């Protein structure tokens, strides 16, 4: 795994950044950037300049530079990094352009639209020597870290389960998606399970369905069983059309081991019942959601520390989603290694940057590269 990247030593001034994307999530990021003393917003990029100008005005900065090209605006305003908050289909081209211009990138999840595009971006990060970090924002939760600490008292962990039941009426693109729950939400819980277990997926069997009352066109319910690399099972059950007694957006968790169980409802302090004491090391506060991601990104650039969402570390979370969708479509158990190798072949065939292609071809295997 080649995860070395260039650092930007701390000179006492905030890190100048441009934010790409002025939609709903882009505005959340813009507000977070404005509130952080570690970064300075230098410009907004969006294909819709009126949207960019409106977002700048709403921040109280109507004179903030805006543009339609990431690298060009970053160069004009002297930005040192890019925050990519575009729609998933734009993640690959925007991030690839920024990396090629020598700019580190903090991107919204998922890493890209497909695992194969994610592999391309991992290779592009290697080629450029720049950091590409994916903001898997729900990892940045002190209670999640505490649940992991408490789980250290359980001995061998065998089962982690997450239940997710919500009933949001989004309107717009989610209502028309083919796999709204798996593609847009479950990646958070899949990624959190990887964090809790310090393990990666081996295989998955998944079923999708749509209750008769669902207001989604695609399947809004799913159940998946993942075999993980330590032999554990991660079981996910969720629905986006289940009103009443709704769970946290973080889901409701049970971690079951040989000495006991940890419970976490996703919103309050986790609890443990175990025959063994939990470790006494204090839990480091990772920050909260996207603000925590931003802090981790800046710290990595300043010190060279590897952030949780570094691209090579993050791709397996999207692979879990893609494998679950494939399993549901085929009615079969899906091997993650098979999926990764197929995605690697697709990445090789689709790559148009000669330098990135050369990096991809040097990988002995996907698992080894990641």
């Amino acid at each position: 795994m080649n995860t070395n990247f260039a650092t930007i030593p701390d000179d006492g001034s905030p890190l100048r950044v441009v934010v790409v994307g002025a939609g709903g999530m882009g505005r959340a990021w813009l507000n977070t950037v404005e509130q952080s003393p570690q970064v300075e917003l230098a410009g907004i990029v969006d294909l819709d300049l009126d949207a960019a100008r409106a977002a700048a005005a709403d921040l109280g900065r109507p004179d903030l530079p805006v543009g339609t090209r990431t690298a060009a605006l970053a160069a004009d305003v002297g930005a040192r990094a890019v925050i990519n908050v575009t729609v998933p289909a734009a993640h690959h081209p925007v991030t690839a352009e920024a990396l090629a211009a020598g700019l580190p990138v903090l991107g919204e999840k998922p890493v890209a639209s497909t695992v194969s595009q994610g592999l391309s971006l991992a290779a592009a990060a290697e080629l450029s020597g720049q950091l590409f970090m994916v903001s898997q924002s729900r990892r940045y939760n002190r209670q999640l870290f505490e649940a992991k600490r408490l789980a250290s008292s359980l001995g061998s962990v065998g089962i982690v389960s997450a239940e997710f039941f919500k009933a949001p009426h989004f309107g717009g693109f989610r209502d028309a998606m083919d796999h709204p729950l798996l593609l847009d939400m479950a990646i958070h819980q899949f990624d959190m399970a990887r964090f809790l277990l310090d393990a990666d997926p081996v295989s998955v069997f998944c079923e999708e369905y749509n209750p008769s009352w669902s207001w989604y066109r695609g399947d809004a319910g799913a159940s998946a069983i993942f075999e993980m690399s330590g032999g554990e099972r991660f079981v996910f059950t969720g629905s986006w059309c289940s009103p009443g007694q709704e769970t946290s957006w973080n889901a409701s968790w049970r971690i079951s081991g040989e000495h006991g169980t940890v419970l976490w409802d996703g919103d309050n302090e986790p609890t443990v019942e175990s025959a063994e004491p939990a470790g006494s090391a204090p839990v480091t506060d990772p920050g909260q959601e996207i603000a925590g991601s931003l802090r981790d990104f800046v710290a990595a650039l300043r010190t060279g520390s590897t952030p949780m969402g570094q691209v090579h570390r993050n791709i397996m979370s999207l692979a879990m989603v893609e494998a679950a969708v494939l399993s549901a479509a085929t009615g079969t158990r899906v091997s993650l290694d098979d999926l990764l190798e197929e995605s690697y072949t697709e990445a090789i065939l689709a790559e148009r940057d000669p330098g990135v292609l050369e990096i991809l071809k040097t990988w002995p295997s996907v698992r080894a590269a990641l």
Side-chain angles (χ1 to χ4, degrees), residues 259-280:
H259 301 310
T261 294
V262 171
L263 296 178
W264 180 43
D265 68 3
D267 287 331
N268 298 290
E269 291 299 311
T271 60
V272 61
E273 183 176 332
S274 176
E276 301 292 332
S280 58

Side-chain angles (χ1 to χ4, degrees), residues 88 91-92 110-123 132 183 187 201 311-312 314-326 334-348 350-351 360 363 366-367 370:
H91 286 186
H92 182 276
V111 55
S113 290
T114 64
V115 173
S116 64
Q117 289 184 357
L119 298 176
S120 168
L121 290 177
F132 173 33
L183 288 180
I187 190 171
V311 59
H312 294 72
N314 180 259
I315 286 173
M316 289 303 297
S317 295
L318 179 58
M320 291 176 78
V321 174
E322 211 164 281
V325 169
L326 180 60
V334 170
S335 158
L336 269 292
D337 279 338
D338 289 347
L339 176 80
L340 290 174
E341 289 308 314
E342 289 172 10
S343 297
Y344 176 69
T345 299
E346 291 172 12
I348 292 286
E351 188 56 57
L360 284 169
W363 289 359
V366 180
R367 290 269 189 181
L370 300 182

Side-chain angles (χ1 to χ4, degrees), residues 162-168 180-182 185-186 189 209-211 213-216 219-223 236-243 246-249:
E163 291 190 334
F164 178 89
F165 290 92
K166 302 290 283 187
L181 179 70
L182 287 177
M185 187 66 214
Q189 284 73 46
Y209 47 90
N210 214 23
W213 64 86
S214 172
W215 49 94
Y216 296 86
D219 290 336
S223 295
F236 171 85
T237 301
S239 166
W240 246 358
C241 57
S242 292
E246 294 184 20
T247 65
S248 164
W249 280 99

Side-chain angles (χ1 to χ4, degrees), residues 199-224:
D200 280 328
V202 173
S203 66
V204 61
F205 183 80
C206 178
E207 288 189 343
E208 280 188 296
Y209 47 90
N210 214 23
S212 61
W213 64 86
S214 172
W215 49 94
Y216 296 86
R217 185 186 67 79
D219 290 336
S223 295

Side-chain angles (χ1 to χ4, degrees), residues 26 37-38 42 60-61 93 109 162 172 205-206 219 261 284 287 302:
Q38 297 176 303
R61 299 182 60 186
K109 64 84 185 168
F205 183 80
C206 178
D219 290 336
T261 294
T284 301
R302 296 302 196 194

Side-chain angles (χ1 to χ4, degrees), residues 59-369:
L59 290 173
R61 299 182 60 186
D63 296 329
L64 191 68
V66 300
T68 59
R69 295 298 303 273
T70 302
L73 184 66
D76 288 346
V77 300
R80 304 293 301 278
V82 168
I83 300 176
N84 182 1
V85 203
T86 56
V87 297
H91 286 186
H92 182 276
V94 170
T95 297
E97 177 190 343
L99 292 172
L103 295 163
V105 179
L106 173 59
E108 256 297 330
K109 64 84 185 168
V111 55
S113 290
T114 64
V115 173
S116 64
Q117 289 184 357
L119 298 176
S120 168
L121 290 177
E126 291 184 27
L127 178 66
S128 69
Q130 299 297 327
L131 171 64
F132 173 33
M133 170 185 161
V134 181
S135 172
Q136 205 75 55
S137 59
R138 292 188 183 274
R139 275 203 190 199
Y140 294 87
N141 184 307
R142 191 196 59 78
Q143 294 168 358
L144 177 68
F145 274 62
E146 175 66 5
K148 183 173 183 175
R149 185 189 73 84
L150 293 176
S152 68
S153 71
L154 304 182
S156 178
V157 171
I159 308 164
V160 172
S161 65
E163 291 190 334
F164 178 89
F165 290 92
K166 302 290 283 187
H169 287 265
F170 293 110
F173 73 92
R174 291 182 181 88
D175 286 8
M177 289 175 66
D178 288 335
H179 314 277
L181 179 70
L182 287 177
L183 288 180
D184 199 59
M185 187 66 214
I187 190 171
H188 284 299
Q189 284 73 46
F190 293 179
D191 182 74
M192 293 160 82
R194 291 180 60 219
F195 170 76
L196 287 170
L197 288 167
D198 283 326
D200 280 328
V202 173
S203 66
V204 61
F205 183 80
C206 178
E207 288 189 343
E208 280 188 296
Y209 47 90
N210 214 23
S212 61
W213 64 86
S214 172
W215 49 94
Y216 296 86
R217 185 186 67 79
D219 290 336
S223 295
I225 302 174
F226 287 90
E227 179 187 353
M228 304 299 284
S229 52
E232 315 93 338
R233 295 301 186 273
F234 166 54
V235 182
F236 171 85
T237 301
S239 166
W240 246 358
C241 57
S242 292
Q245 301 290 342
E246 294 184 20
T247 65
S248 164
W249 280 99
N250 291 316
S252 178
W253 294 80
R254 174 182 287 266
I255 308 169
S256 178
E258 61 180 318
H259 301 310
T261 294
V262 171
L263 296 178
W264 180 43
D265 68 3
D267 287 331
N268 298 290
E269 291 299 311
T271 60
V272 61
E273 183 176 332
S274 176
E276 301 292 332
S280 58
V283 169
T284 301
D285 186 353
Q288 189 67 19
E289 298 187 354
I290 63 174
S293 293
L294 180 61
R295 189 177 77 180
D296 202 10
F297 179 65
V298 176
L301 288 176
R302 296 302 196 194
T303 68
S305 60
T306 303
M308 286 196 290
Q310 194 271 345
V311 59
H312 294 72
R313 294 184 170 191
N314 180 259
I315 286 173
M316 289 303 297
S317 295
L318 179 58
M320 291 176 78
V321 174
E322 211 164 281
V325 169
L326 180 60
S327 174
T330 60
T332 61
R333 183 177 303 278
V334 170
S335 158
L336 269 292
D337 279 338
D338 289 347
L339 176 80
L340 290 174
E341 289 308 314
E342 289 172 10
S343 297
Y344 176 69
T345 299
E346 291 172 12
I348 292 286
L349 292 174
E351 188 56 57
R352 295 294 175 262
D353 184 307
V356 173
L357 180 61
E358 194 60 35
I359 294 289
L360 284 169
K361 288 182 174 180
T362 67
W363 289 359
S365 71
V366 180
R367 290 269 189 181

